[in-house]
């Protein structure tokens, strides 16, 4: 075959790949996101018996004083959580990025600890500290004066949600605060501008996008979270607990769908605002920028260091209390040591099955999710699609960020549980019905839930690649598949590892979507914590949570170890070649 024939075959193959790629992208999002969410909207205009109700069902919802109160409660919790998380998160991020406090890497690690535990675990830790029989409430069992903060209710929820959102806020602001030009601060000092003036005139404007994003993240996560209100909410109902009661408790999917739509509103607003703000010009470093130099200041370092270490001590103390609870025979009456809680046989018939289900689901989510997120990012970034198709694909890849996990769970129940779909009285067999009730639907829901962040990670990594290498490979007749596996994948290996770790850790701790999708055979460890707490077995719930935390920490340490080993290997190669 001639060279010309080879070129024609390659062009023909590529021309087949392009429509196949864009078809996979759009069909995936239509089936796994668009149609389920549309089924949620469709259910919202039906009566409990399935008959058409129009907007009457929604009107009736807003006439219910109890449900209106839940909306007000959710807004109150989310607003106070945002204020607390942003304030504490900024001070903490400033400490580890702009001061000379010692042990800043450890401080960052301690701040990330809440990410490794389900939100219910924060509630359990607070119960052992500030509950009716908590250490602080009883004054260390009568040795000291006790302090009762009234944990069960809005106070407890706000504290738990602040702990839950704190790591995300710190991480966003920490990255933004590290990107600064020392020249701006030197010029401000020369002009006699005070430290407060430099903070207001340089620091805060340079991180305004990160502040807005962090605020939106804190508000949305706390507005839609189910775990913390379930554990420490008491009689203080919020929308997230209402939707669970309506769907699981009363099988009222119509009312549950309305609550689910209400939960989407803050997430959609946050998504739109974040996208609009990110398009505006902002502070950027250029090639002439000087790295930020942190001057020595004993008073400043002492104050900020005291705050950061105090905050870390509280976070670490929370996890110590959870660990203590998991090995306590009967709190607070028998404070010995036992590992009986880790058998899980005395209180549930699940045993370790739920833990192994979580491991399997998280591994599946990490492997499959990483493959799909990276392929979608690569196809949209390097595919020769029209600009309109690329923008549509990019928008759809970001859209899952605006759909809370609880909404994904309800939507999947409505969409996948039915053996057939009905469109204008035309019945169509549901070919995906067999997914319902399996571990596969839990994996799919987790991939969708955490897709957007991993997609953006992959997109950023691919953008940093030298596209001239691909052009050179094309010149020498090397196929795109060969380039993909021998250049793209090795170059993006750190990003792929980060994506897999993100999928795994979040899949281990998530409960929002899974709480509606699990069966007795597919129950996960995070869901089991709720069941154990409902049965009054809080010690066993703490033990299950500690297993999740330990696994996630092991995965994180393994990830850091691989990156460190790879960095040393590359450095040795560089020394040999030089």
């Amino acid at each position: 075959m001639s060279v010309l024939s080879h070129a024609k075959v390659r062009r023909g193959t590529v021309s087949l790949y392009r429509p196949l790629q864009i078809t996979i992208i759009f069909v995936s999002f239509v089936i796994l996101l668009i149609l389920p969410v549309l089924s949620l909207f469709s259910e919202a205009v039906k009566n409990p018996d399935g008959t058409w109700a129009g907007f009457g069902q929604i009107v009736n919802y807003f006439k219910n004083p109890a449900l209106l109160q839940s909306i007000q409660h959710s807004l109150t919790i989310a607003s106070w959580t945002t204020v607390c998380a942003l304030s504490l998160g900024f001070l903490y991020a400033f400490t580890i990025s702009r001061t000379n406090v010692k042990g800043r890497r450890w401080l960052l690690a301690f701040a990330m600890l809440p990410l490794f535990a389900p939100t219910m675990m924060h509630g359990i830790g607070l119960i052992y500290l500030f509950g009716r029989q908590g250490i602080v409430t009883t004054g260390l069992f009568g040795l000291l004066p006790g302090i009762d903060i009234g944990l069960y209710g809005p106070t407890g929820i706000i504290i738990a949600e602040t702990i839950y959102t704190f790591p995300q806020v710190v991480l966003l602001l920490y990255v933004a605060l590290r990107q600064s030009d020392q020249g701006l601060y030197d010029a401000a000092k020369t002009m006699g501008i005070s430290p407060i003036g430099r903070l207001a005139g340089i620091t805060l404007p340079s991180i305004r996008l990160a502040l807005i994003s962090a605020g939106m993240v804190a508000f949305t996560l706390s507005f839609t979270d189910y775990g913390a209100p379930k554990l420490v909410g008491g009689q203080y109902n919020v929308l997230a607990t209402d939707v669970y009661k309506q769907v699981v408790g009363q099988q009222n999917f119509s009312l549950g769908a309305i609550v689910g739509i209400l939960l989407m509103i803050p997430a959609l607003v946050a998504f739109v605002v974040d996208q609009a703000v990110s398009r505006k010009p902002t502070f950027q470093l250029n090639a002439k920028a000087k790295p930020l130099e942190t001057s020595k200041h004993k008073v400043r370092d002492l104050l900020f260091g005291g705050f950061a270490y105090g905050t870390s001590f509280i976070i670490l103390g929370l996890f110590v209390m959870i660990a203590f609870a998991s090995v306590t025979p009967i709190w607070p009456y028998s404070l010995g040591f036992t590992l009986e809680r880790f058998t899980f046989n005395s209180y549930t018939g699940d045993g370790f099955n739920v833990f192994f289900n979580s491991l399997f689901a998280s591994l599946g989510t990490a492997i499959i999710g990483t493959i799909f997120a990276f392929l979608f990012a690569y196809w949209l970034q390097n595919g020769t699609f029209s600009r309109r198709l690329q923008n549509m694909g990019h928008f759809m890849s970001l859209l899952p960020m605006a759909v809370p996990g609880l909404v994904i769970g309800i939507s999947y129940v409505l969409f996948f549980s039915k053996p057939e779909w009905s469109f204008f009285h035309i019945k169509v067999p549901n070919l995906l019905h067999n997914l319902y009730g399996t571990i596969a639907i839990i994996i799919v829901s987790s991939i969708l839930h955490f897709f957007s962040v991993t997609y953006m990670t992959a997109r950023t990594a691919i953008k940093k690649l030298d596209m001239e290498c691909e052009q050179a490979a094309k010149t020498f007749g090397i196929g795109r598949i060969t380039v993909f596996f021998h250049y793209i994948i090795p170059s993006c290996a750190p990003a792929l590892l980060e994506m897999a770790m993100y999928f795994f850790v979040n899949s281990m701790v998530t409960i929002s979507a899974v709480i509606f999708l699990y069966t007795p055979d597919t129950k996960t460890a995070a869901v089991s914590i709720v069941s154990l707490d409902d049965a009054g077995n809080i010690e066993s719930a703490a033990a299950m949570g500690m297993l999740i935390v330990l696994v996630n920490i092991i995965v994180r340490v393994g990830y850091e170890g691989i990156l460190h080993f790879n960095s040393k290997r590359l450095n040795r190669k560089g020394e040999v070649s030089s």
Side-chain angles (χ1 to χ4, degrees):
M1 189 180 289
S2 65
V3 174
L4 183 60
S5 300
H6 276 296
K8 287 181 179 179
V9 169
R10 281 200 303 271
R11 283 198 298 270
T13 305
V14 170
S15 64
L16 286 174
Y17 283 154
R18 291 168 187 164
L20 180 62
Q21 291 169 358
I22 203 67
T23 300
I24 291 173
I25 291 173
F26 281 94
V27 168
S28 298
F29 283 114
V30 166
I31 293 177
L32 301 180
L33 178 62
I34 305 299
L35 291 180
V37 171
L38 287 177
S39 68
L40 181 76
F41 281 88
S42 173
E43 193 70 23
V45 292
K46 291 180 181 178
N47 288 315
D49 59 0
T51 58
W52 179 260
F55 292 101
Q57 180 80 357
I58 299 176
V59 172
N60 290 334
Y61 176 89
F62 285 103
K63 289 181 180 179
N64 188 324
L67 296 177
L68 281 175
Q69 191 179 54
S70 294
I71 298 176
Q72 181 185 350
H73 287 173
S74 292
L75 290 171
T76 301
I77 294 297
S79 300
W80 277 109
T81 299
T82 303
V83 171
C84 295
L86 268 183
S87 304
L88 298 174
F90 174 77
L91 291 174
Y92 200 97
F94 190 89
T95 301
I96 58 179
S97 60
R98 297 290 184 92
T99 71
N100 286 313
V101 173
K102 293 183 178 180
R104 284 173 290 176
R105 288 187 64 183
W106 281 106
L107 287 174
L108 181 61
F110 288 141
M112 297 301 111
L113 270 179
L115 292 176
F116 300 140
T119 54
M120 297 83 68
M121 298 302 298
H122 311 146
I124 290 175
L126 290 174
I127 288 172
Y128 278 90
L129 285 172
F130 302 104
R132 295 183 181 92
Q133 299 293 331
I135 287 180
V136 176
T137 307
T138 60
L140 199 58
F141 308 117
L143 296 177
L144 300 170
I147 301 174
D148 188 356
I149 66 171
L151 178 68
Y152 299 101
T155 301
I157 300 175
I158 291 171
I159 295 174
E161 297 295 2
T162 300
I163 295 169
Y164 169 44
T165 56
F166 181 75
Q168 288 93 331
V169 171
V170 169
L171 204 54
L172 284 168
L173 298 183
Y174 171 68
V175 172
L177 285 167
R178 292 186 67 186
Q179 299 175 349
S180 294
D181 184 0
Q182 181 63 36
L184 293 175
Y185 290 90
D186 291 340
K189 284 182 182 178
T190 303
M191 291 187 290
I193 298 175
S194 66
I196 299 296
R198 295 196 293 271
L199 175 69
I202 301 175
T203 303
L204 292 179
S206 69
I207 64 168
R208 70 179 188 276
L209 292 184
L211 281 169
I212 293 172
S213 295
M216 292 296 182
V217 166
F219 189 93
T220 303
L221 290 177
S222 56
F223 190 85
T224 59
D225 181 48
Y226 167 79
K230 174 68 175 63
L231 264 292
V232 295
Q235 301 301 315
Y236 195 84
N237 288 337
V238 295
L239 284 176
T241 53
D242 276 354
V243 70
Y244 179 78
K245 291 174 183 176
Q246 294 296 330
V247 175
V248 177
Q250 302 179 24
Q251 294 294 300
N252 190 343
F253 286 95
S254 300
L255 201 54
I258 296 172
V259 180
I261 292 170
L262 289 174
L263 285 171
M264 284 184 65
I265 293 174
L268 285 170
V269 171
F271 175 75
V272 172
V273 170
D274 188 65
Q275 292 299 304
V277 171
S278 63
R279 292 191 179 95
K280 293 183 178 181
T282 184
F283 172 82
Q284 288 184 337
L285 294 178
N286 53 46
K288 297 180 180 179
K290 294 171 59 180
L292 189 67
E293 298 173 3
T294 305
S295 59
K296 294 182 179 180
H297 197 295
K298 289 185 178 180
V299 176
R300 178 203 63 195
D301 293 346
L302 183 63
L303 291 175
F304 278 93
F307 163 78
Y309 275 102
T311 305
S312 298
F313 178 78
I314 293 172
I315 294 173
L316 191 60
L318 202 68
F319 281 83
V320 169
M321 285 307 304
I322 297 170
F324 184 63
S326 66
V327 295
T328 300
I330 303 175
W331 178 276
Y333 308 106
S334 177
L335 302 179
F337 179 84
T338 178
L339 294 176
E340 182 185 352
R341 306 300 182 186
F342 287 90
T343 63
F344 309 109
N345 291 325
S346 302
Y347 304 104
T348 68
D350 302 319
F352 274 95
N353 290 339
V354 293
F355 182 68
F356 293 133
N357 284 344
S358 283
L359 286 178
F360 182 78
S362 298
L363 283 171
T365 301
I367 295 170
I368 301 171
T370 300
I371 292 171
F372 271 89
F374 189 81
L375 284 177
F376 282 21
Y378 179 72
W379 290 342
L380 290 172
Q381 186 69 22
N382 291 342
T384 53
F385 310 127
S386 66
R387 176 62 62 180
R388 181 174 296 180
L389 283 176
Q390 283 183 340
N391 290 338
M392 286 177 62
H394 179 62
F395 174 75
M396 293 183 78
S397 298
L398 296 180
L399 200 55
M401 197 184 301
V403 184
L406 284 171
V407 174
I408 292 174
I410 303 170
S411 301
Y412 274 33
V413 171
L414 296 171
F415 184 71
F416 290 100
S417 65
K418 299 175 181 177
E420 56 186 16
W421 298 313
S422 179
F423 300 96
F424 302 104
H425 304 292
I426 300 174
K427 294 185 177 181
V428 180
N430 184 355
L431 302 178
L432 302 173
H433 173 65
N434 289 334
L435 280 177
Y436 189 71
T438 66
I439 203 79
I441 198 169
I442 293 177
I443 292 173
V444 171
S445 67
S446 297
I447 290 173
L448 180 68
H449 190 192
F450 307 115
F451 183 86
S452 298
V453 173
T454 52
Y455 162 79
M456 288 301 296
T457 301
R459 193 168 186 261
T460 302
I462 292 168
K463 275 186 172 183
K464 291 180 180 179
L465 296 178
D466 187 357
M467 290 300 105
E468 291 184 4
C469 291
E470 286 200 65
Q471 295 297 328
K474 192 181 293 185
T475 303
F476 287 103
I478 301 174
R480 295 189 67 177
I481 294 178
T482 303
V483 172
F484 180 79
F485 283 104
H486 287 82
Y487 171 63
I488 304 295
I489 293 294
S491 300
C492 295
L496 287 166
L497 279 174
E498 184 179 349
M499 292 162 65
M501 185 204 64
Y502 181 86
F503 269 127
F504 183 91
V505 170
N506 282 279
S507 180
M508 282 293 294
V509 303
T510 189
I511 187 176
S512 50
V514 183
I515 195 73
F516 299 104
L517 299 172
Y518 79 94
T519 66
D521 293 330
T522 61
K523 194 175 189 179
T524 63
V527 173
S528 180
I529 294 174
V530 176
S531 303
L532 289 166
D533 177 70
D534 285 339
N537 302 317
I538 194 168
E539 293 87 359
S540 295
M544 184 65 74
M546 283 308 301
L547 287 179
I548 295 175
V549 172
L550 289 173
V551 168
N552 283 338
I553 289 176
I554 290 170
V555 169
R556 179 71 196 192
V557 170
Y559 162 75
E560 296 289 348
I562 292 172
L563 290 184
H564 180 69
F565 173 78
N566 188 57
S567 176
K568 288 180 66 176
R569 185 175 60 85
L570 291 176
N571 289 337
R572 284 198 298 269
K573 280 187 176 181
E575 291 173 1
V576 171
S577 61
S578 61

